Amino acid sequence: AQSVSQHNHHVILSEAASLELGCNYSYGGTVNLFWYVQYPGQHLQLLLKYFSGDPLVKGIKGFEAEFIKSKFSFNLRKPSVQWSDTAEYFCAVISTMDSNYQLIWGAGTKLIIKP
Amino acid sequence: DTGVSQNPRHKITKRGQNVTFRCDPISEHNRLYWYRQTLGQGPEFLTYFQNEAQLEKSRLLSDRFSAERPKGSFSTLEIQRTEQGDSAMYLCASSFDILRGYTFGSGTRLTVV
């Protein structure tokens, strides 16, 4: 079955630490990949996306993600986190074979940054 | 345009009652999606409209759930005979061009007591 896995459900870091959140998917065909962020009490916001081209994509607020096709991965990174990055992060995938462009979501990773 | 709007923000209802939620998408977006999100989980797909046509429904959407988008603009999601297991955040998202991703509303949090 098609699925998206986020390995860490909870991550706690100190400010200025580096961040990497894992995301793996199980689709065999061409995929479009997304990271969404949900700050406490707010709606889901698009952080970054990958469709084609350079596998290293840069998003808002200093985040970036690297698509590694051979590993079916799209890990999210940030060199130095801030307290304001405390949020829940979701990886999501669209299979280009799905004409309805339905997003398939990971379970999310709750990130807590200690000041 | 202020984005995707959902009403109400919160709804508390007694088990067995019917509830209806509304979603106003971004005006030029022809695709509209409903998702459900429970604590500790990613959003689960419920249903999808392209303009006024409902093109896909999840198996999660039992016959107690119905969604409409009568004029291809706003959409409503109705849950009949609510159960405690229906308690969740109901999210609406819209899109015109998937290359730009989806825009989500703030959601309607349903609590069935």
Side-chain angles (χ1 to χ4, degrees):
Chain A
Q2 300 165 338
S3 66
V4 177
S5 297
Q6 291 182 243
H7 315 296
N8 307 103
H9 293 291
H10 292 89
V11 173
I12 301 174
L13 295 173
S14 298
E15 275 195 313
S18 64
L19 169 71
E20 181 161 2
L21 301 181
C23 172
N24 286 86
Y25 61 93
S26 64
Y27 295 86
T30 304
V31 293
N32 298 327
L33 300 151
F34 302 82
W35 275 97
Y36 279 84
V37 61
Q38 190 168 28
Y39 297 102
Q42 296 189 26
H43 60 275
L44 285 158
Q45 299 173 45
L46 182 64
L47 204 52
L48 49 76
K49 60 185 183 287
Y50 172 81
F51 281 76
S52 63
D54 189 345
L56 184 64
V57 292
K58 295 192 184 299
I60 60 172
K61 304 186 181 186
F63 286 90
E64 64 180 32
E66 185 175 12
F67 170 53
I68 303 179
K69 189 175 181 180
S70 61
K71 295 185 178 180
F72 298 90
S73 71
F74 189 55
N75 292 354
L76 181 71
R77 300 195 294 246
K78 186 170 183 179
S80 177
V81 294
Q82 301 171 309
W83 177 79
S84 58
D85 294 323
T86 294
E88 191 158 15
Y89 293 81
F90 293 93
C91 181
V93 173
I94 292 175
S95 167
T96 55
M97 292 187 292
D98 178 2
S99 60
N100 291 332
Y101 296 125
Q102 183 189 133
L103 275 170
I104 306 299
W105 297 81
T109 298
K110 285 188 177 166
L111 175 65
I112 297 172
I113 306 300
K114 298 184 295 184
Chain B
D1 193 301
T2 57
V4 178
S5 176
Q6 289 189 248
N7 290 288
R9 292 291 302 273
H10 304 274
K11 178 72 177 178
I12 300 174
T13 191
K14 290 184 179 179
R15 191 174 52 185
Q17 297 294 305
N18 300 343
V19 294
T20 300
F21 310 141
R22 177 176 169 126
C23 172
D24 288 89
I26 292 174
S27 56
E28 64 266 27
H29 287 185
N30 59 345
R31 296 172 184 258
L32 187 146
Y33 300 79
W34 284 99
Y35 286 85
R36 180 171 66 187
Q37 187 178 16
T38 53
L39 203 61
Q41 300 293 323
E44 297 172 296
F45 171 77
L46 294 180
T47 190
Y48 156 64
F49 291 84
Q50 185 160 335
N51 300 311
E52 66 275 11
Q54 188 173 21
L55 297 187
E56 189 172 351
K57 289 173 61 173
S58 165
R59 289 190 302 274
L60 293 173
L61 218 63
S62 75
D63 56 4
R64 297 185 298 105
F65 288 71
S66 62
E68 295 182 341
R69 194 183 183 196
K71 298 180 181 178
S73 57
F74 73 92
S75 176
T76 58
L77 177 68
E78 182 183 14
I79 308 174
Q80 296 181 325
R81 305 181 303 281
T82 52
E83 301 172 357
Q84 285 188 320
D86 297 332
S87 295
M89 176 75 85
Y90 289 84
L91 299 170
C92 178
S94 69
S95 174
F96 176 73
D97 176 0
I98 195 58
L99 291 176
R100 300 179 190 175
Y102 293 16
T103 301
F104 279 86
S106 298
T108 294
R109 182 169 295 284
L110 173 66
T111 303
V112 181
V113 297

